[in-house]
Amino acid sequence: MPKISHSVPKVDQADKLSGKAIYVNDIMMDNMHYAITLRSIHPYANIKHIHYPPLPEGYFIIDHHHIPADNVVNMIESDWKVFAKDQVTYIGEPILLVIGKDRKVIKEILSSINVDYDILEPTFEFTDSVIHKTLTKGSYQEILQHADQVIQETFHTGYQEQAYIEPQGFICYPEGEKKIVLKGSLQCPYYVKNAVVRTLGYPEDQVRIIQAAVGGAFGGKEEYPSVIACELAVAVHHLHVPIKLILEREEDMLVTTKRHPSEITLEAAVKKDHVLGIKAHVKLNGGAAIGLSGVVLSRAMIAITDAYTIDHLDVVGDVYKTHTVPTGAFRGFGAPQMIFAIEMFMEHLANRLHKDSFIFRYQHLAKQGDLTSTSGHFRDPIIMDQLIHHVMKESDYVYKREHYKKEHSFHGIGMSWFLHGCGFTGSGESDHIHAKVKLRKDQNNDVHLLIAAVDMGQGAFTSLKKIVVQTLDIPDDKVFFQPPDTDVIVDSGPTVASRTIMIVGGLLEKAAKRLKQEWKDHEEQIIIEHYTNPPYIKWDEASMRGDAYPAYSWGVNVVEVEVSKITYQVTIKHVWSAYDIGEVIDERLALGQADGGIAQGIAYGYLEVMQDHLGQLKQKNMTDYIIPTALDVGKTKTTFFPNPYQLGPFGAKGLGELSLVGGAPAVALAIEHAIGRPVHKIPVTPETIMELIET
């Protein structure tokens, strides 16, 4: 067999290149009905009365009155309603569905519905904390007495839109007399299933979820599909007809979850040229519903020390509820906000101390055996030395750093160092997810992967199938991996959190090894493998103390920029990256993930602007919200360094989120270097640069 990293054609490439792939909006059924949502036009108001026009025959309205069980979208927190009842809490909150066979008629009905509101005073500031967490390491208060000085800075980050190619959508239809089926664009089949079961009050075997082809997700299809699914399921429960709900692009951008805006204040106790400890306050805007914000906050807080070792920490985190669109999952899950802040802060500390920033940061770099931010251990080899020196040589970093500074040429170069935990935070995998995988070998000796992992463009079908093929040492055409269908698959957990390869792939490798050992020619065999945490992993959720992750991936980005002296427009000249993701499962897929991730990370740092005004998002389409083209990212060069993780499949760790989290600080540091002004907020737009230079 060829080496595991040798690239193979993607399982779904022929269908996608030829247009044969079936996305949810391609699905047509007899007696098809359509649904469009009536949404709140106010950020905070009581609903006094709704005036309906006479409905044509065959057209229906579904709202909270029709919910047979809980008016709740099942998430970690249960504060997200399927339909607004007496009150709306953000612009775009669903109030009701209008359903019928003609979308034009539906829109006419929607335009004739009048809602009487009693407008209330909304909150847009960080005043109402609904989640409060603390993380400590060592004793920050005690080391203050040994510090020469205390330095404090505050950093701000904004919204970021996932900008997936395909908007959110589902089709829901009855199957028999008592069962409901939903097929849609999603990341987490069992999240959707559990949400619908709760809203309808159905037994689990009466709800079936099927993944259609998914046109991108980036976290945006983690929790939000459950919202649409619950709305549609309620409608089909009452009407017993197939109903399709597809968000149009403008609607999708205005009402779906975004990356959390943040305000992060960092305080360092410094003695000579060493950081004794850091005190931090992490503030996240959760929007009008908490959803997944608690986990996003945890991940942000855990990333406080990034790739460094700091012995004393005092970290406080808060999620604030505001009358804005709920924020949620986005690639990186809290780490991009914190890693931007801490990377900028370490650079600024070095400047304040009149120290060479590279030497200063290098002195604090984490080493194998060090304690993590949560007082766990970095047990595995850390090869950041290799990564750092490789990209420095490739980019000619040292020369450019000095040359650009002397020339005042408005050219700059910045370097970020970072890590990312693989898998769910803390005991999430063992206590909450309980992942399992299933292999079925039929009488033809064909092997079927029956798992919940979703391919949303990242190549999961290809890479996970490849792990089984290589482990069994059988031909590729004897292994099959179909899109998840909850009537057939087992719950291997959601396709999130850089867990698919390391956790699900690791379980598949174990299952395939068992099947190989127990192989019975031309007999049906079933192998099920359950996840268990490594025995040395200990975690206390209440104190956020212990091993937050079983393993970490590591990376280095260098970004070179030119800033126009006239327009302050930033041009990305070149990007160099090096990553430790254990062993690469497929080189071409990994490179695609890495290049896509760094593009999103860099754009988060300098290009992508999304703002709200009194609760209304101002960017609502791809003309208003600018995402990067190839020309906006510059030339990229990416290198993977092998560093096998003993519990990962073929030594692999996570990659998807890692490749995003370092982009924003790298580009911000490059811009800072170019203009000679400290940067404290992203995106660093031309307007921001002008303000920095002229003040």
Side-chain angles (χ1 to χ4, degrees):
M1 298 289 285
K3 186 179 178 182
I4 188 72
S5 61
H6 178 73
S7 296
V8 299
K10 286 183 70 176
V11 169
D12 55 355
Q13 74 173 17
D15 284 350
K16 289 182 175 177
L17 287 172
S18 66
K20 291 181 180 179
I22 303 299
Y23 296 87
V24 63
N25 207 22
D26 297 322
I27 301 169
M28 300 301 296
M29 302 183 73
D30 292 338
N31 197 29
M32 175 74 76
H33 286 59
Y34 299 91
I36 303 179
T37 311
L38 179 74
R39 301 182 179 277
S40 168
I41 60 172
H42 296 290
Y44 189 33
N46 290 328
I47 299 174
K48 296 194 297 182
H49 186 73
I50 302 177
H51 303 273
Y52 299 106
L55 294 179
E57 184 177 352
Y59 288 81
F60 311 92
I61 286 174
I62 297 291
D63 64 9
H64 69 89
H65 295 97
H66 298 90
I67 296 173
D70 288 348
N71 186 14
V72 167
V73 181
N74 190 69
M75 296 185 196
I76 295 173
E77 302 288 341
S78 298
D79 67 333
W80 195 320
K81 290 182 170 54
V82 180
F83 293 112
K85 184 179 179 183
D86 302 315
Q87 190 177 84
V88 293
T89 55
Y90 66 97
I91 294 173
E93 183 169 1
I95 298 173
L96 55 84
L97 295 179
V98 178
I99 295 165
K101 289 189 175 183
D102 189 326
R103 290 173 59 88
K104 183 179 179 182
V105 175
I106 294 173
K107 290 180 179 180
E108 290 172 355
I109 294 170
L110 282 167
S111 67
S112 300
I113 297 175
N114 293 310
V115 182
D116 291 337
Y117 294 99
D118 180 13
I119 299 174
L120 304 173
E121 185 67 29
T123 298
F124 303 120
E125 304 300 325
F126 286 171
T127 56
D128 183 15
S129 173
V130 290
I131 296 179
H132 180 78
K133 297 190 177 190
T134 59
L135 182 162
T136 60
K137 176 185 177 185
S139 177
Y140 182 79
Q141 290 303 315
E142 287 185 13
I143 58 94
L144 276 176
Q145 61 186 321
H146 303 293
D148 296 331
Q149 57 182 310
V150 174
I151 300 171
Q152 184 182 99
E153 292 188 335
T154 298
F155 301 89
H156 295 86
T157 68
Y159 289 106
Q160 189 179 20
E161 161 68 27
Q162 290 90 349
Y164 28 68
I165 298 172
E166 176 204 24
Q168 304 270 358
F170 265 98
I171 182 172
C172 184
Y173 54 92
E175 187 173 79
E177 292 187 6
K178 297 182 178 180
K179 194 167 188 174
I180 280 183
V181 181
L182 290 117
K183 183 177 288 189
S185 187
L186 53 92
Q187 289 181 239
C188 312
Y190 277 90
Y191 280 12
V192 177
K193 182 182 175 80
N194 294 339
V196 172
V197 164
R198 178 172 179 178
T199 296
L200 295 184
Y202 278 20
E204 289 188 9
D205 62 359
Q206 291 180 16
V207 175
R208 179 185 183 189
I209 310 300
I210 304 172
Q211 177 219 323
V214 179
F218 309 115
K221 293 175 182 174
E222 177 172 347
E223 76 271 52
Y224 198 83
S226 296
V227 179
I228 300 176
C230 289
E231 294 174 20
L232 276 180
V234 171
V236 172
H237 168 79
H238 281 276
L239 301 178
H240 305 287
V241 296
I243 306 173
K244 182 186 290 187
L245 196 166
I246 306 291
L247 300 192
E248 296 183 3
R249 177 63 66 181
E250 182 172 309
E251 180 183 19
D252 190 295
M253 291 188 68
L254 287 173
V255 305
T256 61
T257 53
K258 319 295 173 196
R259 190 183 300 285
H260 292 69
S262 74
E263 177 185 301
I264 300 174
T265 299
L266 300 176
E267 174 186 295
V270 180
K271 185 177 181 63
K272 295 183 179 179
D273 61 350
H274 185 70
V275 178
L276 300 178
I278 290 178
K279 183 178 181 179
H281 191 182
V282 184
K283 301 179 181 180
L284 298 182
N285 182 354
I290 300 173
L292 305 182
S293 291
V295 185
V296 175
L297 177 65
S298 293
R299 282 220 160 200
M301 294 170 68
I302 290 167
I304 174 68
T305 52
D306 190 23
Y308 307 103
T309 294
I310 306 295
D311 292 330
H312 301 274
L313 299 172
D314 181 0
V315 186
V316 172
D318 288 282
V319 173
Y320 294 87
K321 217 168 185 180
T322 62
H323 293 108
T324 56
V325 63
T327 44
F330 194 147
R331 192 177 191 174
F333 224 72
Q337 294 93 318
M338 178 57 81
I339 289 177
F340 160 71
I342 190 65
E343 283 292 88
M344 304 307 294
F345 191 47
M346 292 295 283
E347 181 81 11
H348 297 174
L349 288 175
N351 294 338
R352 290 276 292 271
L353 298 170
H354 306 290
K355 302 294 182 183
D356 178 273
S357 63
F358 176 84
I359 295 174
F360 177 79
R361 292 164 68 191
Y362 195 83
Q363 288 171 341
H364 294 85
L365 192 63
K367 301 180 293 296
Q368 185 179 11
D370 284 355
L371 292 182
T372 67
S373 63
T374 57
S375 300
H377 288 85
F378 289 121
R379 292 181 171 82
D380 302 313
I382 297 173
I383 60 169
M384 283 291 281
D385 260 356
Q386 296 178 44
L387 275 58
I388 291 168
H389 289 102
H390 174 80
V391 294
M392 287 179 69
K393 182 179 178 181
E394 290 286 312
S395 64
D396 203 6
Y397 178 83
V398 173
Y399 169 76
K400 290 175 181 176
R401 187 83 176 166
E402 291 301 316
H403 176 69
Y404 291 156
K405 186 175 182 179
K406 290 177 182 177
E407 294 294 318
H408 303 290
S409 62
F410 268 49
H411 283 71
I413 192 166
M415 176 163 54
S416 61
W417 305 344
F418 47 92
L419 82 173
H420 200 74
C422 305
F424 263 73
T425 306
S427 56
E429 290 288 351
S430 59
D431 294 350
H432 302 292
I433 300 302
H434 305 294
K436 55 185 176 182
V437 301
K438 181 178 181 180
L439 294 180
R440 181 177 69 85
K441 182 178 74 65
D442 62 26
Q443 293 180 347
N444 295 322
N445 288 343
D446 292 334
V447 177
H448 302 266
L449 281 65
L450 304 176
I451 58 176
V454 170
D455 196 317
M456 47 207 177
Q458 86 282 31
F461 288 172
T462 306
S463 54
L464 294 176
K465 174 182 173 179
K466 192 177 186 183
I467 289 168
V468 173
V469 168
Q470 290 272 36
T471 304
L472 291 174
D473 194 12
I474 62 177
D476 180 81
D477 61 4
K478 298 295 286 181
V479 177
F480 298 88
F481 185 1
Q482 300 300 319
D485 175 343
T486 58
D487 268 13
V488 178
I489 63 172
V490 294
D491 187 358
S492 56
T495 311
V496 300
S498 298
R499 66 181 297 278
T500 301
I501 288 295
M502 194 180 87
I503 303 296
V504 181
L507 288 175
L508 285 171
E509 184 184 39
K510 289 181 181 179
K513 285 179 178 178
R514 279 183 53 202
L515 178 58
K516 189 173 184 177
Q517 291 171 354
E518 301 170 12
W519 189 278
K520 297 175 182 178
D521 218 27
H522 298 293
E523 290 187 25
E524 182 165 323
Q525 291 175 266
I526 301 290
I527 301 291
I528 296 177
E529 193 75 33
H530 296 259
Y531 179 80
T532 55
N533 254 349
Y536 52 79
I537 296 294
K538 306 295 181 185
W539 176 255
D540 182 343
E541 182 64 36
S543 64
M544 293 183 67
R545 192 173 182 85
D547 292 292
Y549 308 102
Y552 295 84
S553 295
W554 303 78
V556 178
N557 295 148
V558 170
V559 176
E560 184 179 355
V561 304
E562 179 181 359
V563 179
S564 169
K565 295 180 180 180
I566 299 172
T567 65
Y568 301 131
Q569 187 73 38
V570 175
T571 300
I572 309 296
K573 306 297 289 184
H574 213 130
V575 180
W576 297 267
S577 302
Y579 301 109
D580 161 19
I581 58 169
E583 288 288 352
V584 176
I585 294 298
D586 186 285
E587 291 174 348
R588 187 161 48 225
L589 290 178
L591 189 60
Q593 281 281 78
D595 284 352
I598 190 65
Q600 279 184 314
I602 289 173
Y604 180 48
Y606 92 103
L607 186 66
E608 296 186 20
V609 177
M610 179 168 276
Q611 302 163 319
D612 75 274
H613 177 67
L614 301 179
Q616 177 70 62
L617 290 172
K618 297 166 71 174
Q619 290 76 23
K620 59 185 180 181
N621 53 51
M622 292 303 183
T623 301
D624 299 334
Y625 186 79
I626 307 302
I627 62 173
T629 67
L631 294 177
D632 297 307
V633 181
K635 298 178 181 179
T636 61
K637 187 170 184 181
T638 301
T639 307
F640 298 103
F641 281 74
N643 185 24
Y645 171 56
Q646 62 175 345
L647 298 181
F650 293 88
K653 298 186 288 187
L655 167 61
E657 294 175 297
L658 176 78
S659 59
L660 183 145
V661 298
V667 72
L669 287 167
I671 294 169
E672 184 173 282
H673 183 225
I675 65 176
R677 301 288 193 279
V679 169
H680 291 87
K681 69 176 182 179
I682 53 174
V684 193
T685 62
E687 293 82 0
T688 301
I689 294 171
M690 181 174 68
E691 292 173 5
L692 290 172
I693 289 176
E694 295 184 359
T695 56

